[in-house]
Amino acid sequence: MYDCIVVGSGPAGGAAAYHLAKRGRRVLVLEKEALPRYKPCGGGVSPQVQSWFDFDFSPAISLKVTQMVCTWQGEEAQLLEFPPEQPMWMVRRDVFDYFLIQQAQRQGAELRPQTPVTGLTWGGDRWQVHTPSGDFTAQYLIGCDGAKGSMAKWLGFKDRQQRVGAAIEIEAAMPDHSLTAAHFDFGRLHNGYIWNFPKRDGYSIGVGTVALGRKQNLRAIGAEYAKTFGVDFNQVKVYGHPLYCWQQHQRLHTQNALLAGEAACVVDPFTAEGIRPSLLTGMLAAQAIDRALSGDPEALTNYSQQVQQEWGADMIWAKRLSTLFYRMPRTAYELAVKRLSARQRMGQIFCGQLRYRDVAANGLKLLASGFRLPGVRR
């Protein structure tokens, strides 16, 4: 019997397995796909995450960018230099996720790829996890199987609080490109933006909306944007996936089980950042399970509270900024992107140097006042 079974080997699952195995716990990771596996994702990662691990992520980083370029419908480029000691990481998820799970294996975690979970049974003091390869038993479970996974439903989380968005993404091979900045474009779609995150050998171009509602042709929007970088959407495979953004505080624990990562709906409701909160909740889940195994009866309850304190409390401000920014995006762009000081704070948030709560009060006041000022374009 295992101490804990982790379902899913993405950033949340890898982080949970690593931190549990490092504490000497017997951990099994079940992953439905063969590894390494492709995962559609822009792949922008805050360097803040390095402080949560005691190994160097450098082998898993495709490119470190030191600049951010923002445009309004392809024009009016605004440049921001990231702090030189805090460049933004650009990663490919097949490499990054597999590298992380390999670090967990080196600590003693067991991995079973191509082993989809087909159901769960609670046995009074342990979980039976059913797979086509047989059943596995553990005292605790961590569901890290993403936005579309079944663990949340099987564990009884039927009404998760989430702000549902959507994204489409492509990977374009550009072996000789010279792009050194992360590009963001606003104004072409409702409740979202377009991006081009360069990697060492190509581009990750995507279109994302953090709140569904208005019908939009994301593919057509992305295809038009990609032309500016010499990319033809008709020559590459287009991937689509939902975004389960943070909506409000919710319970993430149940009987001997936790949710982490996108299964816990912790995607940033403003920027759609998902890797950093997945790594954070995976680490916090491992710490909680470790305490539970050591006899702490409140460990899992405290996990839900800790996620709220360390991530959700900040996402309250992110959601407010997102709502106001996308209500009148042109005005917001004039006030919050074209201003160098505002752009610098945005870069500090991306790099983990600031939290939304550090800047949101002034940002909300600025946006709210800007909407009322005559002469400001709307």
Side-chain angles (χ1 to χ4, degrees):
M1 185 172 75
Y2 295 93
D3 293 320
C4 183
I5 292 176
V6 177
V7 179
S9 67
Y18 177 80
H19 284 289
L20 272 171
K22 189 169 178 62
R23 287 168 167 78
R25 303 303 185 179
R26 191 174 182 214
V27 185
L28 172 65
V29 180
L30 298 177
E31 166 58 49
K32 66 179 181 179
E33 305 288 349
L35 296 178
R37 53 92 179 95
Y38 174 75
K39 174 72 166 62
C41 179
V45 183
S46 165
Q48 176 196 20
V49 305
Q50 180 63 79
S51 64
W52 302 335
F53 300 86
D54 58 1
F55 58 85
D56 184 7
F57 273 99
S58 294
I61 301 172
S62 178
L63 196 66
K64 292 183 179 180
V65 300
T66 57
Q67 296 177 323
M68 176 174 73
V69 174
C70 296
T71 54
W72 177 265
Q73 296 182 359
E75 301 178 351
E76 303 182 3
Q78 309 296 323
L79 176 66
L80 173 67
E81 297 279 351
F82 289 130
E85 72 280 4
Q86 290 281 312
M88 192 173 176
W89 297 355
M90 297 286 125
V91 306
R92 292 198 181 280
R93 288 288 302 278
D94 53 347
V95 176
F96 186 83
D97 293 5
Y98 192 46
F99 176 79
L100 178 55
I101 207 69
Q102 286 178 312
Q103 307 312 305
Q105 287 180 283
R106 287 174 183 152
Q107 296 297 327
E110 184 179 337
L111 170 68
R112 286 184 178 257
Q114 295 180 282
T115 308
V117 175
T118 57
L120 308 172
T121 301
W122 173 246
D125 63 348
R126 65 194 64 185
W127 284 101
Q128 289 280 343
V129 180
H130 311 304
T131 80
S133 303
D135 293 350
F136 300 92
T137 306
Q139 284 184 260
Y140 291 92
L141 297 180
I142 306 178
C144 305
D145 54 342
K148 297 190 292 184
S150 299
M151 287 293 289
K153 178 182 66 175
W154 290 334
L155 289 169
F157 297 94
K158 296 181 180 178
D159 299 308
R160 285 177 294 171
Q161 296 296 318
Q162 60 204 16
R163 191 180 192 186
V164 181
I168 63 165
E169 302 184 64
I170 65 161
E171 297 288 343
M174 290 285 186
D176 300 319
H177 80 83
S178 58
L179 213 62
T180 59
H183 285 248
F184 299 84
D185 187 71
F186 300 90
R188 304 193 203 211
L189 74 159
H190 183 64
N191 278 337
Y193 61 93
I194 317 172
W195 64 89
N196 182 0
F197 286 178
K199 306 301 190 298
R200 185 178 295 114
D201 55 354
Y203 301 151
S204 296
I205 297 177
V207 183
T209 174
V210 294
L212 296 177
R214 184 180 300 180
K215 189 175 182 180
Q216 303 180 88
N217 189 334
L218 300 187
R219 185 185 181 109
I221 294 169
E224 187 64 27
Y225 175 75
K227 289 178 183 177
T228 63
F229 295 96
V231 176
D232 183 354
F233 252 48
N234 294 321
Q235 302 300 316
V236 293
K237 185 172 182 178
V238 180
Y239 297 88
H241 58 93
L243 297 172
Y244 281 8
C245 300
W246 186 93
Q247 177 73 359
Q248 65 185 52
H249 177 50
Q250 61 185 316
R251 191 171 182 262
L252 299 175
H253 67 280
T254 187
Q255 180 67 59
N256 285 40
L258 302 173
L259 294 181
E262 287 195 54
C265 308
V266 292
V267 172
D268 186 319
F270 190 12
T271 66
E273 179 186 16
I275 298 177
R276 176 168 41 162
S278 291
L279 291 168
L280 173 64
T281 52
M283 177 182 69
L284 295 179
Q287 294 170 353
I289 296 295
D290 181 63
R291 292 194 300 269
L293 287 163
S294 296
D296 181 355
E298 300 299 320
L300 302 196
T301 300
N302 291 339
Y303 166 75
S304 291
Q305 296 171 352
Q306 193 173 11
V307 171
Q308 166 63 11
Q309 292 166 359
E310 301 207 17
W311 186 253
D314 211 42
M315 292 302 101
I316 292 172
W317 295 106
K319 181 183 171 185
R320 290 172 181 170
L321 283 169
S322 176
T323 299
L324 197 53
F325 186 96
Y326 291 122
R327 183 182 299 167
M328 292 184 176
R330 184 58 195 262
T331 300
Y333 185 85
E334 296 276 345
L335 295 169
V337 177
K338 292 186 73 171
R339 293 190 180 199
L340 177 60
S341 59
R343 211 158 60 244
Q344 288 173 331
R345 287 192 288 272
M346 186 188 303
Q348 289 174 307
I349 289 173
F350 275 122
C351 292
Q353 292 184 319
L354 286 178
R355 291 189 170 198
Y356 286 108
R357 68 188 74 173
D358 299 324
V359 302
N362 287 336
L364 289 169
K365 186 184 297 184
L366 176 67
L367 290 173
S369 64
F371 292 152
R372 296 191 295 268
L373 288 175
V376 176
R377 283 186 285 181
R378 290 169 169 77

